[in-house]
Amino acid sequence: MIILNELDRKLQCFVYSSGALCRNQETPNMQDLFALLVLLHVQVCLLLKDCEWKVVLNDFDNLGGDQAVFFRQHPVTSVASVFQNLTDSAIDLNDKNSHYLGFPYYLKISLTCLTQDAVKVIRNAHLTGLRPIATITFEAPVNTEHQKPEELQIEMTGAPYRLQGPCASEEVCRMCWYTPMPMTKRSVVMEVLVKSNGLGLEVDNKRFVMNINGYMKETETGLQSFLGEKVTSLGEMISLDSRSRPIWSTFNQAPVLILGGFQGYKIILVSDSEFADFTAVEVGIDSCWIGSVNCPLDSFSSSIFDAIATESVLLLRQNQLVYYITGNYSVLSLPVPGSGLWTRVLNNVCVSRLNPVPFPHNGSEFVIALGGGVQEGEFFLGTIRDGAVRFPESHAKGRRTVCEYLNISCAILWAVYITEDKMIVLLVEGKKKSDKSDYYIMAYDQASGDFWMLYSIPRFIPKDTEKGFVMLLGLEEYTDYLLIPRGLSYNPFSSIFYIWGNVILQSYDLVNYIHLSDFPQRSPISYFILSYVGEFVCVTVSEEIWFSVEGSSVVVRLYPSEPWDTYFSLQLMRGSKDFSFNETFVSLFFNKEGLQQLVYIPDGHGEGQLIRRNFPLHYILSYQHLIIHRYHWLYLQDSQYIRFFHPCSFSVMRLEDLPAPQRFTRMEHYYTEPPDVMDRTGFHNNMSLAVYQGLIFQLLWLHADYSRPYADPVHDPTWRWWKNRKQYAEYFFYVASNGKSSGGIYVNMEGYTKTYDLQPNNQLPSKIYLDKNNAYSFSVFLSIRSKAHSMGEMQEENSLDFVWLTVVLAHPKFVVSDLQRHYLMGRGSVLYSVTISDTGQYPKQELSGTNLLKSSMALKVINSATNCYHYTASGPKLQGYAMVPIFIGCPPGKRLAFDITRTLKYTTKQNKRYFDCIHKNPELPCFFFNDVFYPFFLIQDMVTGDSGPFMGSYTLRIIGGGPYSESRIRLYSPSETLDYNTANGSTLLSLIWMRANRTKSALTDPEGFNVFSGTDCGIKWVCEQNSPCYDVVPLDLTAPDYFFLVEVSNRAVDKSTYCDYDLKFVIHIHGLRLSPSRAIAFMKISMAVLTGIVFLYVLHQVLGPVIGAGFTRLIQRFEESLAVRTARGAPTTHPPCRPASAATATCPKAARKNWPPSVSSSPSRVPACIQMFLPSLWSPAAREPPRFLPCSLRRAGTFVSDLADESRQARPKPSWACYCSDLAPLCGCSWLKLRGSGLSTVALDQTVTQNDKDLNPRGVALNASARLGSAENGGRPFPVQLEQGLHFAAPGLIRDGTQAPGVIGRAASGRSAAPV
């Protein structure tokens, strides 16, 4: 204990960054003390952080199983059936926006420990509240043609899950946490960051890579790679003297990395996790190259020399042959399927080298093939787009080669493609008859096909000036050592160009160069690695590793070195399995965690393992300062101290006042948590995890679907999800709090949200996007050491006069910086206010997130490169230098949307009306043709949640349209678009619309399209004669509809942004006018139809009765003729209206023509008229002729009243004419009435009796009674009021079902009428 306390006290005074004074201890060798203290420090940290996160993939149907390979890319549809059980929950299954599917994999999260039992640690961590939080970050695809680029991440809380297996406890023994492993459309590169929720066990964050491996296939024997045969042993092909080789790929875009270069083997290492694990494959290509005169071959080798990985294609070179293979990536929607076999390209070309192009451009990736043999001096730029590889013919076809341009015999050693300038930079070796060669930096312009010389490399290495660098101005001195360049590198962010070989030359403009003289020329560089964040590493042919910071002249050897030996020994002492004396250095590369090293460690039995480990860069640099800068003795107040020199001019550096990061990083962030389960243990089951899958799938689907042109009333993708159930949230919570949720699962609607307010955490962002005139501001706090810690120091070690902050910008024309220095004298500190702003001079205007200019900001304190560092929980870190990439242009996550809500409101207000379609569609409202249309638009920021009106200038054009439905929309050609939208077309009679405000002059672009703004946006629909919407034929009685495809763009007319807001949406117009000719034709037809209807109505009213009577007579005669023919064969009876004698003849004149002459010639009989009336018309007050009812049986003829002969002339006429219509032959009339006939009672009785005999052959009884009223008015007799009551003895003869009235009539004197 005493020894530990003593060592702990020594450790406390041994502070690396502050350099405190330590009282002299009786330790003769301070270096041994240094090693002992560092070892103790490592052991203490090891005890504190014994466990770390472990993440593997599990198949959807194999929870708790072995690690799976990420190759399936189709959603799991069986998840939808699980949601059918969630009837009484926040899930609305009837919502048309619901897509509850699943992903094919889960993330299994657990802990792995060095000294403790991981099973117990996981259980204890769970019981103390630990929950892992997994943040998945999706990398945007290379080709953004089908989907706008975006920065997206989703945060998911792990769901505890009880693993199956024997367990002594009834609750839990083995457990882990699960989250879904989501996928998004067109993203194959994913990063998983696992962190703790801050409760329970303290575990550091850890990063994992989960990329889709599109080069796997399922077979009957299991999962296999179609790249070739799997190799199980690496011992034979990796030896201790094997050289390392680089890993080439498209930067941050390749899901699968490959590594070749194994001498004598056509074997590559394939990894979808940045070599956290890998598979060795012997590629299935033929090794049958034979040298020829055109392509001489010194020696044959089956080795894979150059291997390059892109997003969807792998390329490699064997000898002079180039092959490629395309992966199966359905999530990328590739137009070409996975090839499955290696395909050879450049069949007739002798290829000497493949050079990678790290960055894609305009949706394509590139690779450069350098020619050899007869093609020496030529190069071929291959383009990879959507899985298709295309190598065009040589640039030299029909043009001069670079050798012809230089007029020498030459060869191209290396090529770099600068995509922003579309320029290829070549390293050309000019061959001479002697052994000496000249080297040139040549440029090739793709557009013009011209070459020009950028720089002629000096023949010899410049002399060192002991400053660490030499500016090559032509006045410097040179050594006798030949300068032999071997390759080129270019960082587009810093605009620094490197020439490397046995020297390192760097340039900011490709013309003027600086020689970094700290790098020795004894060992040429084998390959050069850029981090693209301000650091680079080079590996020499002797396997030395050198490091430097961009913009600095300091070049440090990391391996082999004394600091490396110290760190290596400490790792062996602590028993690390990642280090060994017999390890073989395989490769070195950068990722987001820093510098990574691949080593092969044999196990002594002919086998071994390939290990990826973090290269201890910061440890080595910090150890190096303590070794190089020796301590010295210091006497103070009669005490002896030791003090270390401080190369760093400050002790503390902090970043303050940082803005919210999302506005500049453009990272869209979603927060989710697993659904709650009703199980009392809180452990999830397969069903609840499937629900978790469906919820994440639905969230990401809503995110992808939110790019619709019509803006939602609420600017949030999750608004559509919960808008129908939000009002019942408290009810669902109440049910869940009582453990009664349907399916045993409760979905909290607040657990699936989009986050807009992430905090900066006092760290610079990983990248910055700047739109036009945007600015990024923050503060830097720098402090020197206090007097208690700076005794005996020189002024330059601890003075504010030596603390200066600088900002280096890669493109000062487009980005400027402003630094303001503030002294905080009382605190021994300075505060810098830093502002990085865009100048607004960038000339391009592009779509959101596309073709951005790569730039950078390097923030550094003078003399701090590799000199300043500070300790963190994960070890020492360099400080005083930070490089942040800057992207200039239109940031991702911004869009233009049609503000349908404001458009409807303002259009209704201005037109004072709104006519919607008959069949309403809430997703696509209608606008009336005759109303002025006022469109408004929104600028929506998908990252920050901001949404506001677009006040810039824009053009509006109709680019397509069709009548009746959206499916009939046709895209217009460019000439048609010009004719239909501008006055510059062939004729003014082609316009579809025009500006509503014609009082002021219209602003147009060079093509003639109208330019609108947020305050002047009214348009009027006209549909002229030659326009496609002219004279649309209606399909029914409503006016025709038309659907227009509208394009709105601010390109070249809006100077307020770098964004080219291009919006296309459909607008529904109804109530289109007919053409004048068609309108007149329709009017004529309508008038003709109306006139015809009126004419027929009048004709019916006038001639209808006459025609009816004639038709009735026709029917009567037909029936009479039929009755006569029938009576001939029957017994002799009297037919209807044929009385037996003249004495009983009572039929009218109309019927007399058919009587016998003896009857018709008798004038002594008074005919009678039998009339059928309605009882209501029997009133004496009636003034109109009675209305007649047709008899129900329709079998009688027409009896016309005829008071003829003497009686008719002697007596007054009745008050109205008497007609009988359709009287049945049975004489079944309800009432016979004659007013003013003057018949006597006896005559009436005789008439009725005779009618009963003659007109009622079936024997229906008729009763009649007659009363003769008294005579008044001077003794003259009044017309006789005759009332008769006839009663049918056979009811039901009336066919229409009416019955005879109960009261037949009344007498004039008011006496009761005789009942029927």
Side-chain angles (χ1 to χ4, degrees):
M1 180 61 70
I2 297 175
I3 296 175
L4 291 177
N5 291 338
E6 187 69 15
L7 290 175
D8 184 60
R9 192 175 65 83
K10 293 177 181 179
L11 183 62
Q12 291 175 0
C13 72
F14 198 82
V15 181
Y16 304 134
S17 59
S18 62
L21 296 176
C22 299
R23 185 181 294 272
N24 181 24
Q25 308 296 330
E26 295 180 0
T27 305
N29 191 339
M30 204 64 194
Q31 299 301 320
D32 296 339
L33 176 63
F34 163 73
L36 182 61
L37 294 177
V38 172
L39 176 61
L40 179 62
H41 175 70
V42 170
Q43 293 291 348
V44 171
C45 294
L46 177 63
L47 293 176
L48 292 177
K49 302 294 177 62
D50 181 53
C51 299
E52 63 180 5
W53 297 111
K54 179 183 178 181
V55 174
V56 297
L57 280 178
N58 274 177
D59 287 321
F60 181 85
D61 298 324
N62 189 25
L63 290 175
D66 297 331
Q67 180 177 354
V69 178
F70 198 168
F71 78 100
R72 295 188 179 92
Q73 304 166 47
H74 297 286
V76 179
T77 58
S78 60
V79 174
S81 61
V82 178
F83 280 81
Q84 301 298 328
N85 300 325
L86 307 183
T87 55
D88 192 12
S89 68
I91 305 302
D92 186 5
L93 298 177
N94 297 323
D95 187 4
K96 66 178 182 179
N97 295 315
S98 62
H99 295 77
Y100 296 105
L101 303 179
F103 302 102
Y105 298 100
Y106 285 98
L107 280 179
K108 179 184 177 182
I109 306 175
S110 59
L111 292 172
T112 176
C113 303
L114 294 176
T115 62
Q116 304 179 66
D117 185 1
V119 175
K120 295 181 179 179
V121 171
I122 293 174
R123 184 167 58 245
N124 294 336
H126 170 69
L127 296 176
T128 55
L130 176 65
R131 295 291 184 276
I133 300 176
T135 302
I136 315 294
T137 302
F138 303 93
E139 195 71 34
V142 170
N143 188 0
T144 59
E145 181 180 350
H146 306 288
Q147 179 179 352
K148 293 183 179 180
E150 61 184 4
E151 303 283 343
L152 176 64
Q153 62 181 197
I154 180 170
E155 180 179 319
M156 301 176 294
T157 303
Y161 183 82
R162 182 167 42 195
L163 297 175
Q164 301 296 326
C167 181
S169 172
E170 63 179 9
E171 292 296 337
V172 59
C173 274
R174 297 174 57 247
M175 62 159 292
C176 62
W177 296 273
Y178 274 107
T179 68
M181 181 59 221
M183 296 185 300
T184 60
K185 186 178 181 181
R186 304 188 65 83
S187 180
V188 294
V189 177
M190 286 154 282
E191 173 187 320
V192 180
L193 179 65
V194 181
K195 62 181 180 180
S196 168
N197 63 342
L199 300 177
L201 181 68
E202 182 180 357
V203 186
D204 288 340
N205 302 346
K206 191 171 182 180
R207 174 182 173 270
F208 301 87
V209 175
M210 296 292 174
N211 298 336
I212 299 177
N213 191 339
Y215 304 97
M216 304 298 291
K217 62 180 179 180
E218 285 186 302
T219 63
E220 296 179 355
T221 59
L223 196 61
Q224 294 182 358
S225 172
F226 59 75
L227 299 177
E229 295 294 331
K230 183 178 179 180
V231 179
T232 59
S233 177
L234 302 179
E236 297 181 358
M237 63 182 187
I238 299 180
S239 60
L240 293 178
D241 58 349
S242 298
R243 289 186 179 182
S244 65
R245 70 285 287 167
I247 298 175
W248 287 341
S249 65
T250 306
F251 184 69
N252 288 342
Q253 297 289 345
V256 174
L257 301 180
I258 58 175
L259 179 63
F262 299 99
Q263 190 66 30
Y265 295 93
K266 55 176 183 179
I267 292 177
I268 59 174
L269 303 182
V270 183
S271 175
D272 56 12
S273 58
E274 294 182 348
F275 286 98
D277 51 31
F278 70 97
T279 303
V281 175
E282 183 179 4
V283 295
I285 59 176
D286 51 349
S287 304
C288 59
W289 175 260
I290 301 177
S292 63
V293 177
N294 294 333
C295 190
L297 181 64
D298 296 334
S299 62
F300 172 81
S301 175
S302 59
S303 301
I304 304 300
F305 294 103
D306 302 321
I308 302 175
T310 65
E311 185 182 45
S312 57
V313 174
L314 302 179
L315 299 102
L316 53 86
R317 179 181 67 89
Q318 183 193 47
N319 297 315
Q320 286 86 3
L321 306 180
V322 178
Y323 298 88
Y324 80 91
I325 191 169
T326 303
N328 289 319
Y329 287 103
S330 60
V331 70
L332 291 176
S333 302
L334 299 179
V336 295
S339 54
L341 296 174
W342 292 94
T343 305
R344 184 183 169 191
V345 291
L346 297 174
N347 297 331
N348 300 321
V349 177
C350 182
V351 180
S352 63
R353 182 184 295 273
L354 287 181
N355 284 150
V357 179
F359 293 94
H361 180 69
N362 199 22
S364 298
E365 299 167 283
F366 305 94
V367 64
I368 302 175
L370 304 181
V374 295
Q375 285 95 10
E376 194 170 40
E378 299 182 20
F379 62 89
F380 305 83
L381 180 64
T383 302
I384 305 167
R385 188 180 183 90
D386 290 337
V389 180
R390 183 177 64 89
F391 274 92
E393 296 181 354
S394 172
H395 70 285
K397 185 175 183 180
R399 299 178 182 177
R400 293 191 301 173
T401 65
V402 65
C403 299
E404 293 173 347
Y405 178 84
L406 294 173
N407 197 21
I408 58 174
S409 175
C410 70
I412 300 177
L413 303 180
W414 205 276
V416 170
Y417 183 31
I418 302 178
T419 56
E420 288 80 4
D421 300 329
K422 294 185 178 181
M423 179 177 65
I424 299 176
V425 182
L426 308 172
L427 174 60
V428 180
E429 178 187 7
K431 298 180 179 180
K432 295 184 178 181
K433 295 182 180 180
S434 61
D435 295 337
K436 298 180 180 179
S437 300
D438 293 330
Y439 298 93
Y440 308 94
I441 301 299
M442 302 296 297
Y444 174 77
D445 188 359
Q446 277 191 291
S448 62
D450 296 333
F451 290 97
W452 72 92
M453 183 181 296
L454 294 173
Y455 184 65
S456 178
I457 300 175
R459 184 171 295 177
F460 299 98
I461 298 175
K463 284 186 178 181
D464 187 9
T465 59
E466 297 183 357
K467 295 180 180 179
F469 67 94
V470 177
M471 297 187 65
L472 304 183
L473 302 176
L475 304 176
E476 61 279 356
E477 296 181 357
Y478 291 89
T479 65
D480 296 333
Y481 296 98
L482 290 176
L483 192 159
I484 303 176
R486 298 170 62 95
L488 306 175
S489 293
Y490 177 72
N491 185 354
F493 294 101
S494 61
S495 298
I496 300 180
F497 182 77
Y498 296 93
I499 304 174
W500 48 267
N502 60 350
V503 295
I504 299 177
L505 306 181
Q506 70 176 21
S507 172
Y508 287 90
D509 57 2
L510 283 77
V511 176
N512 301 293
Y513 288 82
I514 298 175
H515 171 226
L516 303 182
S517 57
D518 284 348
F519 179 77
Q521 68 272 12
R522 64 178 181 271
S523 181
I525 296 175
S526 176
Y527 56 94
F528 195 92
I529 312 168
L530 287 169
S531 68
Y532 301 105
V533 289
E535 301 169 343
F536 71 84
V537 171
C538 52
V539 180
T540 67
V541 293
S542 60
E543 300 299 330
E544 295 180 358
I545 302 176
W546 291 79
F547 169 81
S548 181
V549 175
E550 289 189 321
S552 172
S553 61
V554 179
V555 182
V556 181
R557 186 174 66 177
L558 303 177
Y559 171 85
S561 64
E562 188 175 352
W564 168 264
D565 294 337
T566 302
Y567 182 84
F568 185 79
S569 299
L570 291 173
Q571 299 305 313
L572 293 179
M573 292 174 65
R574 60 173 282 213
S576 174
K577 297 181 180 179
D578 295 341
F579 294 84
S580 173
F581 283 113
N582 298 325
E583 65 184 25
T584 301
F585 178 24
V586 177
S587 185
L588 203 67
F589 64 97
F590 280 100
N591 65 5
K592 293 183 179 181
E593 294 179 281
L595 187 60
Q596 306 294 312
Q597 185 181 25
L598 284 182
V599 295
Y600 177 76
I601 299 178
D603 58 4
H605 303 286
E607 298 296 333
Q609 56 180 342
L610 188 70
I611 293 176
R612 186 197 74 183
R613 66 192 184 194
N614 291 325
F615 190 86
L617 173 65
H618 301 282
Y619 281 98
I620 293 175
L621 293 177
S622 61
Y623 291 176
Q624 184 174 10
H625 289 299
L626 296 174
I627 294 174
I628 295 176
H629 302 287
R630 300 284 180 171
Y631 66 92
H632 63 274
W633 298 102
L634 175 66
Y635 293 90
L636 184 65
Q637 297 178 357
D638 298 332
S639 299
Q640 188 179 11
Y641 295 87
I642 58 173
R643 193 187 70 80
F644 290 88
F645 176 76
H646 295 285
C648 187
S649 59
F650 62 91
S651 64
V652 177
M653 179 178 180
R654 292 198 307 268
L655 299 175
E656 299 178 349
D657 304 326
L658 290 165
Q662 287 179 281
R663 179 187 173 192
F664 297 96
T665 62
R666 312 306 301 165
M667 182 64 70
E668 299 183 59
H669 185 91
Y670 287 92
Y671 169 78
T672 64
E673 58 186 24
D676 294 331
V677 293
M678 301 297 103
D679 189 274
R680 62 184 181 87
T681 63
F683 285 103
H684 285 251
N685 52 34
N686 292 19
M687 177 178 175
S688 62
L689 290 179
V691 172
Y692 199 5
Q693 286 260 14
L695 294 172
I696 300 298
F697 190 97
Q698 170 71 5
L699 179 63
L700 293 178
W701 185 90
L702 289 172
H703 168 80
D705 187 62
Y706 192 66
S707 60
R708 61 182 64 195
Y710 279 58
D712 285 340
V714 178
H715 178 41
D716 193 296
T718 62
W719 173 79
R720 286 177 174 265
W721 195 0
W722 310 117
K723 62 184 179 68
N724 297 330
R725 297 294 182 98
K726 193 72 173 179
Q727 55 185 335
Y728 308 116
E730 294 183 357
Y731 164 72
F732 297 139
F733 176 77
Y734 170 76
V735 174
S737 62
N738 289 276
K740 301 298 183 181
S741 294
S742 58
I745 298 173
Y746 167 64
V747 178
N748 182 13
M749 290 181 277
E750 299 297 332
Y752 302 87
T753 59
K754 191 171 185 179
T755 306
Y756 301 106
D757 54 354
L758 294 180
Q759 298 304 310
N761 198 22
N762 293 328
Q763 293 181 354
L764 287 174
S766 60
K767 63 184 73 172
I768 294 175
Y769 291 88
L770 291 180
D771 197 358
K772 196 168 190 176
N773 299 322
N774 285 171
Y776 182 83
S777 300
F778 60 97
S779 299
V780 179
F781 178 84
L782 296 169
S783 178
I784 59 176
R785 285 169 291 278
S786 63
K787 292 183 179 180
H789 295 85
S790 60
M791 292 182 182
E793 291 186 348
M794 294 178 291
Q795 184 179 5
E796 60 268 19
E797 292 185 72
N798 197 42
S799 174
L800 291 178
D801 295 335
F802 294 89
V803 179
W804 294 94
L805 181 68
T806 60
V807 174
V808 180
L809 301 174
H811 297 85
K813 179 181 178 181
F814 305 127
V815 181
V816 295
S817 64
D818 178 61
L819 275 74
Q820 296 182 5
R821 180 183 173 102
H822 307 280
Y823 284 94
L824 306 176
M825 300 302 296
R827 301 170 59 184
S829 306
V830 291
L831 184 68
Y832 279 92
S833 299
V834 183
T835 302
I836 309 297
S837 57
D838 176 77
T839 62
Q841 301 298 318
Y842 185 60
K844 295 183 179 180
Q845 192 174 17
E846 299 286 349
L847 298 176
S848 176
T850 60
N851 297 332
L852 300 168
L853 174 65
K854 300 178 181 66
S855 185
S856 66
M857 168 199 71
L859 184 74
K860 59 182 179 180
V861 181
I862 293 178
N863 296 326
S864 65
T866 70
N867 290 328
C868 299
Y869 51 90
H870 68 289
Y871 274 89
T872 64
S874 58
K877 298 293 182 183
L878 290 177
Q879 68 172 354
Y881 177 87
M883 177 180 170
V884 180
I886 298 177
F887 295 90
I888 302 173
C890 182
K894 282 191 173 183
R895 76 178 192 121
L896 184 70
F898 180 41
D899 190 357
I900 184 62
T901 304
R902 186 184 177 191
T903 299
L904 285 173
K905 185 182 298 184
Y906 190 83
T907 301
T908 304
K909 178 181 178 182
Q910 293 299 115
N911 294 294
K912 298 181 175 56
R913 63 182 181 182
Y914 174 66
F915 296 137
D916 203 347
C917 291
I918 297 177
H919 305 288
K920 299 180 180 180
N921 183 6
E923 301 290 338
L924 189 66
C926 294
F927 294 92
F928 190 46
F929 179 84
N930 291 330
D931 290 345
V932 179
F933 178 56
Y934 297 94
F936 290 95
F937 303 94
L938 292 172
I939 295 296
Q940 292 186 333
D941 195 324
M942 308 295 294
V943 179
T944 64
D946 297 335
S947 180
F950 176 58
M951 303 306 296
S953 301
Y954 62 90
T955 59
L956 185 146
R957 64 192 72 182
I958 308 296
I959 62 172
Y964 314 128
S965 67
E966 287 186 76
S967 61
R968 304 188 65 172
I969 292 179
R970 178 183 66 87
L971 293 178
Y972 302 146
S973 64
S975 60
E976 290 177 326
T977 303
L978 189 67
D979 292 341
Y980 300 155
N981 294 272
T982 70
N984 296 349
S986 58
T987 173
L988 291 177
L989 296 180
S990 300
L991 292 178
I992 294 177
W993 60 275
M994 61 176 57
R995 299 180 77 107
N997 188 358
R998 310 287 292 179
T999 58
K1000 61 180 182 180
S1001 59
L1003 181 63
T1004 60
D1005 67 354
E1007 295 182 279
F1009 293 98
N1010 287 274
V1011 178
F1012 297 91
S1013 64
T1015 57
D1016 180 19
C1017 59
I1019 66 174
K1020 182 69 176 177
W1021 306 105
V1022 292
C1023 288
E1024 297 289 353
Q1025 183 175 355
N1026 296 327
S1027 67
C1029 57
Y1030 176 80
D1031 195 19
V1032 179
V1033 180
L1035 299 179
D1036 48 25
L1037 297 179
T1038 61
D1041 293 2
Y1042 211 89
F1043 293 83
F1044 291 110
L1045 181 60
V1046 183
E1047 182 183 34
V1048 175
S1049 175
N1050 68 332
R1051 187 174 184 85
V1053 297
D1054 183 22
K1055 306 301 181 182
S1056 63
T1057 178
Y1058 291 139
C1059 293
D1060 176 11
Y1061 293 124
D1062 185 73
L1063 173 66
K1064 297 177 182 178
F1065 64 97
V1066 176
I1067 183 172
H1068 187 182
I1069 303 298
H1070 71 110
L1072 268 68
R1073 295 194 303 246
L1074 299 175
S1075 64
S1077 59
R1078 191 177 297 276
I1080 293 175
F1082 279 7
M1083 184 188 67
K1084 291 180 179 179
I1085 295 174
S1086 300
M1087 291 299 297
V1089 171
L1090 291 176
T1091 303
I1093 292 174
V1094 173
F1095 176 77
L1096 292 177
Y1097 177 76
V1098 173
L1099 190 64
H1100 174 266
Q1101 294 296 325
V1102 174
L1103 301 180
V1106 178
I1107 296 174
F1111 182 74
T1112 302
R1113 286 194 298 269
L1114 179 62
I1115 294 300
Q1116 174 192 358
R1117 292 188 179 184
F1118 175 76
E1119 291 181 349
E1120 289 178 353
S1121 301
L1122 184 63
V1124 169
R1125 293 179 181 177
T1126 305
R1128 289 178 180 176
T1132 303
T1133 57
H1134 298 289
C1137 296
R1138 298 284 301 256
S1141 62
T1144 60
T1146 58
C1147 288
K1149 288 182 178 180
R1152 291 181 185 179
K1153 63 180 65 177
N1154 297 325
W1155 290 355
S1158 59
V1159 177
S1160 58
S1161 61
S1162 177
S1164 59
R1165 296 287 181 259
V1166 179
C1169 180
I1170 304 175
Q1171 180 76 21
M1172 180 180 66
F1173 293 91
L1174 287 172
S1176 60
L1177 297 178
W1178 298 339
S1179 172
R1183 292 294 183 264
E1184 297 294 333
R1187 300 176 62 183
F1188 305 101
L1189 289 176
C1191 291
S1192 299
L1193 298 179
R1194 297 282 183 184
R1195 300 179 58 185
T1198 302
F1199 291 85
V1200 181
S1201 173
D1202 187 8
L1203 304 179
D1205 303 339
E1206 305 91 342
S1207 300
R1208 184 174 183 178
Q1209 298 178 1
R1211 300 182 183 275
K1213 289 185 178 182
S1215 56
W1216 52 71
C1218 181
Y1219 298 93
C1220 181
S1221 174
D1222 299 336
L1223 187 64
L1226 296 180
C1227 295
C1229 296
S1230 299
W1231 176 250
L1232 298 176
K1233 180 177 182 180
L1234 182 65
R1235 182 186 297 274
S1237 61
L1239 296 178
S1240 63
T1241 305
V1242 177
L1244 182 61
D1245 289 337
Q1246 293 176 354
T1247 301
V1248 172
T1249 303
Q1250 186 61 38
N1251 286 339
D1252 184 35
K1253 294 178 180 180
D1254 297 339
L1255 303 180
N1256 192 11
R1258 295 185 182 182
V1260 179
L1262 297 176
N1263 299 324
S1265 62
R1267 295 180 178 87
L1268 187 63
S1270 59
E1272 299 178 359
N1273 194 12
R1276 296 182 60 186
F1278 276 91
V1280 177
Q1281 176 90 18
L1282 180 64
E1283 295 182 5
Q1284 291 181 336
L1286 300 179
H1287 176 70
F1288 286 96
L1293 291 178
I1294 301 178
R1295 185 176 294 175
D1296 57 8
T1298 57
Q1299 297 180 1
V1303 179
I1304 303 300
R1306 288 188 178 91
S1309 59
R1311 289 176 294 179
S1312 299
V1316 176

